[in-house]
Every structure is written in C-alpha cells, then in structure tokens.
C-alpha cells in the first residue's frame, strides 16, 4: 500500500542517467568496505542524487542507517531513523534541503551547495550555486 501511494504521489520517474549514477554510488559504497570514509562519501552523493525521488531517497537513508549501525554511531543511527521516516514525504512534497548530504551532522533541513558534477547531472548547471543554496529545496 505505501509503495503504491509513494509511486502515485511521485510525479516523475528518475531519468536513466540519474538512476545509473545513483546505483553506481551505492555500488561504490558497498565495494569500499571496510573503508567507512569512502562509504560515507558515496552514500552522501547517492543521497544528493536521490533527493527528488521518494523511493531512492528513502533507500539512500536506509543504506546510511545500516552504515551508522555498522560504525556503532548512536547519534547517526537515530538521525537516520528520523530521516527514513520523513524522506519520502519530503521528496513527494518537494520540500527537501537542496544538496544536503543526508548525514545527521548536516542538519535535517540545511541546504548545501552541490558538487559541480552533480549539478550538471541533475540539470541544475545553469543555476549559480549560491542561488540554488538559498532556495533550499529541490524543485
């Protein structure tokens, strides 16, 4: 039921190139084990890529939750549980903090500048980084 609701409420499908980049970052995180710094970097990038799409966005937080548990980071684990609960709704409503890395230390609603390659991938290359950051949401 929830899967059907999220699919129905998400107006656009993730473009193939964006999906491929998202899956590549998840693979990079998996393949980097036990290097947790590289794993976090890959998952943060996967999160940024996925913010506009409810299921991938929630999936990115699920992988972050699993890594937080693996690292025995209690604060990050709790933060990821909260994010798992709100990620889908944020994506559906378009009210996600643009460019946020998805980590607990970043703040739940704190917009952040995008890496240049992800700005191009997500079709935001024409936006100036400071303008996109000031907007604070994915449109």
């Amino acid at each position: 039921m929830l899967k059907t609701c999220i699919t129905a409420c998400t107006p656009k499908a993730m473009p193939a190139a964006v999906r491929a980049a998202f899956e590549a970052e998840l693979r990079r995180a998996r393949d980097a084990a036990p290097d947790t710094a590289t794993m976090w970097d890959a998952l943060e990038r996967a999160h940024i890529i996925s913010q506009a799409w409810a299921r991938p966005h929630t999936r990115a937080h699920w992988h972050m939750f699993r890594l937080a548990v693996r690292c025995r980071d209690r604060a990050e684990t709790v933060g990821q549980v909260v994010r798992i609960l709100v990620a889908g709704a944020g994506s559906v409503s378009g009210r996600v903090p643009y460019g946020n890395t998805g980590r607990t230390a970043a703040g739940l609603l704190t917009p952040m500048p995008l890496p240049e390659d992800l700005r191009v991938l997500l079709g935001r290359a024409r936006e100036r980084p400071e303008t996109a950051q000031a907007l604070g949401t994915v449109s």
Side-chain angles (χ1 to χ4, degrees):
M1 174 81 173
L2 181 60
K3 181 178 174 183
T4 304
C5 179
I6 289 172
T7 301
C9 293
T10 304
K12 58 189 176 201
M14 185 180 259
V18 176
R19 169 72 65 185
F22 173 70
E23 296 295 340
E25 291 296 347
L26 293 181
R27 250 187 329 278
R28 185 167 74 95
R30 183 192 67 226
D31 295 345
D35 178 359
T36 57
T38 301
M39 293 173 78
W40 278 119
D41 180 66
L43 292 177
E44 288 173 358
R45 289 177 55 84
H47 176 265
I48 293 168
I49 292 166
S50 70
Q51 284 183 297
W53 297 275
R55 289 182 67 207
H57 187 189
T58 304
R59 189 171 159 213
H61 282 295
W62 171 250
H63 286 281
M64 289 179 157
F65 168 78
R66 292 176 57 206
L67 183 54
V69 169
R70 178 180 179 168
C71 293
R72 299 174 195 254
D73 184 335
R74 185 176 297 173
E76 189 71 43
T77 300
V78 171
Q80 290 305 321
V81 168
V82 171
R83 284 157 175 77
I84 288 168
L85 295 173
V86 301
S91 294
V92 169
S93 68
R95 297 185 51 85
V96 293
Y98 189 73
N100 187 290
T101 61
R103 298 286 302 276
T104 300
L108 190 61
L109 299 173
T110 306
M112 303 170 87
L114 280 166
E116 183 63 27
D117 63 322
L118 297 186
R119 282 187 40 218
V120 171
L121 174 72
L122 296 171
R124 295 189 171 268
R126 291 186 304 260
E127 292 179 9
R128 293 190 347 238
E130 59 276 7
T131 303
Q133 184 178 3
L135 293 173
T137 59
V138 172
S139 56

